[in-house]
Amino acid sequence: MATIKDIAEKAGVSIATVSRVLNYDSSLSVTDETRKKIFEVAEKLEYKRRVVRKSSPSKFAIVHWYTEKEELEDLYYMSIRFGIETRCQQLDTQIVKYFYNDIEELKQENIQGIIAVGKFSENQVRALAEITEHIVLVDHSLMDDSYDSVITDFDKATKKIVDYLLDKGHTSIGYIGGREYYRDQSGEITDLREKTFYSYMNEKELWKERFIYTGSFSVDDGYRLMKQAILEHQEALPTAFFAGNDLLAIGALRALHEENIVVPDRVNIIGLNDISVSKYIYPSLSTLKVHTEMMGEVAVDLVMERVMGRKVSKKVQLGTELIIRDSSY
């Protein structure tokens, strides 16, 4: 495993700076360029997959629903992007990168396929289809499965986390989650983590509305929501929390630390995604690993198949892996 020292050496900054950036220290004043360099080095040191190089004359586009600045706040999508870029490099395939707001410019590119990373509405996908019919959606799929997609089974992932906590004797379990909306303002995106947590905890007769907190999928909201939970419940605070992503979990850990609530002795925290920084924070974060780099790789292979003539759409659901570190037992 790469160390903070390894990251500091490759990024050309101090160990202290790396540590504070990876821990999302809001008091640290560094440029976005420095933060990006540190996060990208951390991701690249984690990503070591190698495959046989092949040759392909194709040219694809990555279309992000996140801006570059937003990607810095959510390394989940950066990791998917690295998987796409590395796979294209292995295949000698040219790739261009655009944000959704810039698709008018994308129309000037001579591309054979689009890999759309993020949550795109049906209207947005139709707009992309005017550029090329070869589209793969990553981290989202349409109801009619009319386009190829690569997604994570968040239903199974949520049940896996709940089952783990129940097996460890927790019956008072809270949830800290986020809400997302389509960028074209067409509606709220259904979150399977929250939906499954509700139904599965109800099935176990352990659902408690007062232990559910939602905001945005950010470190700041993880911190704010955990502070709210601590204030509202005091000694009755749940013994465990499932955070809908690692960023929320990182913020929650900071709030618990400030309130001198010992993790995991008093409260267990489990996140979801296993972004590269999860192992470097204190305490190191237990999380459910989503194979983001593989999502990117599979997306490239799917769009390549489309270009080669495949007509029937595919939905690829990748599994997850529970990683237990210091924030739970």
Side-chain angles (χ1 to χ4, degrees):
M1 184 185 84
T3 66
I4 288 179
K5 182 180 178 182
D6 296 330
I7 297 170
E9 288 177 351
K10 286 190 175 294
V13 297
S14 70
I15 291 174
T17 297
V18 171
S19 179
R20 293 176 70 183
V21 167
L22 295 185
N23 279 277
Y24 288 84
D25 186 339
S26 58
S27 67
L28 177 64
S29 178
V30 295
T31 65
D32 282 348
E33 183 180 356
T34 299
R35 292 178 65 223
K36 181 181 179 183
K37 183 185 293 185
I38 291 170
F39 284 138
E40 288 190 344
V41 167
E43 286 293 333
K44 287 176 180 175
L45 287 175
E46 286 297 304
Y47 185 51
K48 297 180 175 64
R49 289 178 62 87
R50 294 289 183 270
V51 297
V52 176
R53 184 179 294 272
K54 300 178 182 179
S55 179
S56 167
S58 300
K59 180 180 179 182
F60 301 137
I62 304 175
V63 177
H64 298 269
W65 83 314
Y66 268 13
T67 66
E68 189 172 26
K69 186 173 181 63
E70 287 171 327
E71 187 186 67
L72 278 178
E73 302 300 326
D74 193 345
L75 303 185
Y76 175 81
Y77 288 108
M78 179 184 287
S79 183
I80 291 174
R81 174 170 62 82
F82 278 172
I84 295 170
E85 292 174 347
T86 303
R87 183 62 171 155
C88 284
Q89 184 179 27
Q90 291 162 350
L91 296 173
D92 286 332
T93 297
Q94 187 179 356
I95 194 160
V96 293
K97 292 173 282 188
Y98 282 85
F99 299 107
Y100 183 79
N101 290 342
D102 302 323
I103 63 169
E104 287 302 317
E105 297 177 29
L106 177 58
K107 292 178 181 178
Q108 309 307 314
E109 298 274 6
N110 181 25
I111 60 168
Q112 285 72 55
I114 291 175
I115 300 172
V117 180
K119 311 288 198 312
F120 292 87
S121 69
E122 291 188 18
N123 287 336
Q124 289 176 311
V125 175
R126 278 197 289 269
L128 293 176
E130 293 177 2
I131 302 173
T132 175
E133 62 180 342
H134 306 311
I135 297 172
V136 177
L137 308 176
V138 186
D139 196 44
H140 193 57
S141 62
L142 299 184
M143 290 293 292
D144 62 2
D145 293 331
S146 50
Y147 293 92
D148 289 352
S149 60
V150 186
I151 60 174
T152 297
D153 191 337
F154 283 122
D155 178 70
K156 285 185 179 179
T158 299
K159 290 176 180 178
K160 190 180 294 187
I161 290 173
V162 171
D163 284 341
Y164 174 83
L165 291 172
L166 292 177
D167 287 344
K168 293 298 180 180
H170 298 282
T171 56
S172 176
I173 304 172
Y175 177 79
I176 296 178
R179 300 283 170 83
E180 294 176 309
Y181 301 85
Y182 292 113
R183 294 302 174 94
D184 61 1
Q185 308 302 314
S186 61
E188 183 177 335
I189 300 166
T190 300
D191 187 84
L192 266 180
R193 289 158 288 195
E194 182 179 348
K195 182 179 179 180
T196 301
F197 186 82
Y198 169 80
S199 61
Y200 201 49
M201 291 293 284
N202 255 324
E203 180 184 318
K204 303 292 184 181
E205 299 183 349
L206 293 172
W207 168 259
K208 294 182 176 63
E209 179 74 35
R210 64 184 183 276
F211 292 158
I212 309 304
Y213 294 87
T214 56
S216 65
F217 285 103
S218 67
V219 173
D220 288 345
D221 266 15
Y223 174 84
R224 178 180 64 83
L225 294 170
M226 181 56 80
K227 283 278 192 176
Q228 182 181 342
I230 293 168
L231 179 65
E232 290 178 356
H233 301 298
Q234 301 290 327
E235 295 302 316
L237 189 69
T239 60
F241 278 88
F242 164 35
N245 74 357
D246 289 347
L247 298 177
L248 287 166
I250 290 168
L253 284 172
R254 184 190 301 163
L256 290 165
H257 178 71
E258 284 187 7
E259 297 295 332
N260 296 313
I261 297 173
V262 182
V263 177
D265 294 356
R266 172 60 182 86
V267 174
N268 280 217
I269 298 285
I270 297 184
L272 199 157
N273 289 343
D274 194 31
I275 59 176
S276 58
V277 303
S278 298
K279 61 182 69 61
Y280 299 111
I281 64 173
Y282 180 79
S284 58
L285 181 64
S286 294
T287 182
L288 200 70
K289 182 176 184 63
V290 174
H291 297 283
T292 44
E293 296 92 350
M294 189 180 295
M295 291 174 72
E297 292 176 357
V298 170
V300 174
D301 292 342
L302 288 177
V303 76
M304 189 76 73
E305 289 175 8
R306 281 291 194 177
V307 170
M308 297 298 289
R310 176 171 54 81
K311 300 297 183 184
V312 179
S313 63
K314 287 184 180 180
K315 177 191 284 189
V316 178
Q317 275 196 133
L318 299 182
T320 55
E321 176 186 356
L322 192 58
I323 308 292
I324 300 303
R325 299 193 180 102
D326 295 336
S327 69
S328 67
Y329 51 71

